[in-house]
């Protein structure tokens, strides 16, 4: 930290990206902010509406407020459920994955396969897979006497969406954890063997602390992706039955593009954006702090 | 040209303020360099970090004010300013 002042001219290379971000993000966000304080009857004429959209949105007694409140908690519950399954499962599977020999390549490729499938294809696959008449999964469950119906039973729908996400994205956690595990020098394990450490002690005292950084990345990525989940419920359940799987993004889409209710949608997307931004910032801060402590 | 963005002077004022602060902070960073310091947030912050925390926190102050049925927005604005000053001073 005591070198001479750096030449910062490399920042000019970032300018094209800034220009792009201006058009792809900043100007649209500014427009959304403008929409969020106005009402429109179309034809590009707007009327000042002050803070009313936000007041309605944040008041659970109003229709839109109740919708937002429910969708927000639904989305948070979904994110937590996915994280609670994917992170431990990913670590466990990474621990089981082979570390040398011919099996390494095969198992890693097989593990990574679900991640190569685009979201809407995943949705379509599972939509057919879970059907009670022609779907293998659905027909088997119904055959065993379970009340399983994605389009009519809220619990089935919820379970299915969570299972889809676990199937689709646990591989990411596995690969991250696997890379983290491989980066631990052998000396740690040798020292543990000399001390006669148990398997649990090796895991909790060596592997888990060393995985901390990749796990923060995994949690961040998985949280963001589950918090913005759209395609799978849209394709598989359409947000139903009723509104059981109407997550924030789906509700937002319905309000903004279905009902063309720009004011409500703008207020909702800004609050949604604020939550996302806050979570990103918290994770970023935690990650940079972990790095800093490692440097010390 | 900018008709479609549906500008109002209120939102223009808000973005103008943010843009002004960004320019000001950049100039300060160039002519009055600083080292990050550790305050009540327990991690090193620069002026830019403190400004960001102020903006995000102020948004939450307004949101919670409206969520719990608060009236005039002048009160949360005052709270946000106090909060911002506290962040710049102690964070």
């Amino acid at each position: 930290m005591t070198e001479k002042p750096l030449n910062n001219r490399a920042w000019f290379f970032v300018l094209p990206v800034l220009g792009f971000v201006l058009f792809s993000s900043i100007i649209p966000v500014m427009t959304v902010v403008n929409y969020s304080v106005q009402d429109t009857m179309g034809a590009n004429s707007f009327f000042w509406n002050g803070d009313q959209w936000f007041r309605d949105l944040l008041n659970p007694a109003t229709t839109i407020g109740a919708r937002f409140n429910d969708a927000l908690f639904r989305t948070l519950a979904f994110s937590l459920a996915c994280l609670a399954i994917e992170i431990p499962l990913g670590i466990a599977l990474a621990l089981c994955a082979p570390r040398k020999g011919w099996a390494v390549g095969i198992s890693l490729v097989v593990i990574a396969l679900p991640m190569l499938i685009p979201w809407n294809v995943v949705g379509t696959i599972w939509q057919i897979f879970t059907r009670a008449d022609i779907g293998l999964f659905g027909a088997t469950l119904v055959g065993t006497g379970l009340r399983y119906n994605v389009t009519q039973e809220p619990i089935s729908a919820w379970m299915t969406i969570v299972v889809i996400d676990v199937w689709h994205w646990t591989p990411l956690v596995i690969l991250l954890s696997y890379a983290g595990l491989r980066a631990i020098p052998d000396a740690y394990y040798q020292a543990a063997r000399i001390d006669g450490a148990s398997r649990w002690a090796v895991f909790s005292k060596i592997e888990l602390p060393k995985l901390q950084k990749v796990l923060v990345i995994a949690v961040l990525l998985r949280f963001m992706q589950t918090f913005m989940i759209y395609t799978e419920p849209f394709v598989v359940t359409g947000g139903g039955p009723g509104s059981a799987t109407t997550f924030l993004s789906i509700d937002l889409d319905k309000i903004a593009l279905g009902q063309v209710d720009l004011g409500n949608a703008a207020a909702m997307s800004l609050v949604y954006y604020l939550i996302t931004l806050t979570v990103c910032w918290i994770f970023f801060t935690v990650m940079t702090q972990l790095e800093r402590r490692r440097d010390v | 040209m900018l008709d479609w963005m549906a500008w109002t002077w209120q939102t223009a004022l808000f973005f103008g303020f943010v843009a002004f602060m960004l320019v000001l902070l950049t100039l300060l960073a160039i002519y009055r360099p600083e080292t990050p310091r550790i305050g009540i947030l327990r991690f090193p912050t620069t002026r830019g970090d403190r400004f960001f925390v102020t903006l995000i926190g102020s948004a939450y102050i307004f949101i919670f004010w409206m969520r719990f049925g608060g009236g005039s927005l002048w009160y949360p604005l005052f709270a946000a300013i106090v909060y911002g000053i506290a962040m710049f001073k102690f964070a």
Side-chain angles (χ1 to χ4, degrees):
Chain A
M1 295 306 246
T2 53
E3 293 112 56
K4 285 182 209 159
L6 293 163
N7 182 346
N8 275 331
R9 247 170 286 173
W11 280 105
F12 287 114
F13 289 117
V14 183
L15 284 181
V17 177
L18 280 182
F20 179 74
V21 168
L22 187 70
F23 279 91
S24 72
S25 307
I26 299 177
I27 288 178
V29 166
M30 284 175 159
T31 311
V32 170
V33 171
N34 292 340
Y35 286 170
S36 74
V37 292
Q38 297 178 88
D39 198 358
T40 180
M41 304 291 168
N44 225 11
S45 62
F46 289 89
F47 315 93
W48 177 251
N49 196 26
D51 58 5
Q52 200 52 49
W53 295 125
F54 287 97
R55 286 195 184 275
D56 290 347
L57 182 78
L58 296 166
N59 182 359
T62 63
T63 320
I64 183 81
R67 263 174 86 167
F68 176 68
N69 198 51
D70 294 349
L72 178 62
F73 282 104
R74 221 174 273 137
T75 311
L76 284 174
F78 175 75
S79 290
L80 292 181
C82 287
L83 282 178
I85 298 173
E86 287 171 25
I87 300 293
L89 185 65
I91 298 173
L93 289 178
L95 286 170
C96 299
R99 305 244 177 139
K100 46 177 165 294
W102 56 270
V104 174
I106 294 177
S107 53
L108 289 187
V109 168
V110 169
I111 286 169
L113 271 180
M115 290 197 295
L116 297 175
I117 304 172
W119 277 271
N120 56 341
V121 179
V122 168
T124 313
I125 290 174
W126 280 82
Q127 193 203 18
I128 296 166
F129 193 43
T130 54
R131 279 179 62 155
D133 48 357
I134 56 168
L136 192 56
F137 185 65
T140 311
L141 283 185
V142 171
T144 59
L146 286 170
R147 269 159 48 107
Y148 180 81
N149 189 328
V150 172
T151 50
Q152 279 166 23
E153 302 278 337
I155 296 176
S156 307
W158 252 86
M159 250 181 42
T160 307
I161 302 290
V162 171
V163 167
I164 293 175
D165 200 79
V166 168
W167 169 78
H168 197 185
W169 289 108
T170 307
L172 179 77
V173 184
I174 301 176
L175 293 184
L176 281 171
S177 311
Y178 186 77
L181 285 173
R182 290 294 295 267
I184 302 174
D186 217 27
Y188 285 87
Y189 293 109
Q190 288 162 2
R193 262 201 303 280
I194 292 168
D195 290 344
S198 64
R199 184 69 191 85
W200 172 250
V202 170
F203 175 69
S204 62
K205 295 286 186 330
I206 297 174
E207 288 170 336
L208 205 51
K210 283 279 175 195
L211 282 180
Q212 201 179 24
K213 211 147 108 193
V214 289
L215 286 182
V216 171
I217 296 172
V219 170
L220 171 64
L221 288 176
R222 290 315 311 136
F223 179 82
M224 294 318 302
Q225 275 180 335
T226 50
F227 199 66
M228 62 157 213
I229 188 158
Y230 176 80
T231 318
E232 290 91 335
F234 179 75
V235 175
V236 178
T237 66
S243 58
T245 53
T246 302
F247 299 113
L248 270 181
S249 54
I250 291 189
D251 215 15
L252 189 55
D253 172 58
K254 279 184 185 164
I255 296 169
L257 301 175
Q259 308 169 3
V260 201
D261 198 345
L262 292 184
N264 276 322
M268 188 164 167
S269 60
L270 284 177
V271 178
Y272 191 8
Y273 174 62
L274 182 69
I275 298 171
T276 315
L277 191 62
T278 313
V279 174
C280 281
W281 177 77
I282 291 172
F283 275 109
F284 173 77
T285 310
V286 169
M287 244 156 73
T288 45
Q289 289 321 298
L290 286 177
E291 208 138 333
R292 188 176 65 95
R293 276 178 208 145
R294 205 137 306 173
D295 293 343
V296 173
Chain B
M1 189 184 85
L2 289 177
D3 289 351
W4 63 274
M5 286 181 75
W7 279 103
T8 63
W9 67 263
Q10 291 91 339
T11 47
L13 188 71
F14 170 72
F15 283 114
F17 167 71
V18 174
F20 170 76
M21 286 302 285
L22 288 181
V23 171
L24 184 73
L25 290 169
T26 308
L27 291 177
L28 273 175
I30 294 171
Y31 294 108
R32 294 264 189 286
E34 57 172 344
T35 44
R37 64 154 198 249
I38 298 179
I40 47 171
L41 293 180
R42 309 280 303 282
F43 59 84
T45 54
T46 61
R47 285 182 287 247
D49 294 325
R50 276 169 245 143
F51 180 59
F52 183 77
V53 174
T54 302
L55 277 187
I56 294 275
S58 306
Y60 279 104
I61 290 174
F62 278 96
I63 282 181
F64 280 106
W65 177 261
M66 288 197 238
R67 171 68 181 77
F68 295 106
S72 166
L73 289 184
W74 292 106
Y75 300 104
L77 179 65
F78 180 72
I81 290 172
V82 171
Y83 164 76
I85 292 172
M87 276 298 125
F88 269 87
K89 208 149 171 55
F90 303 114

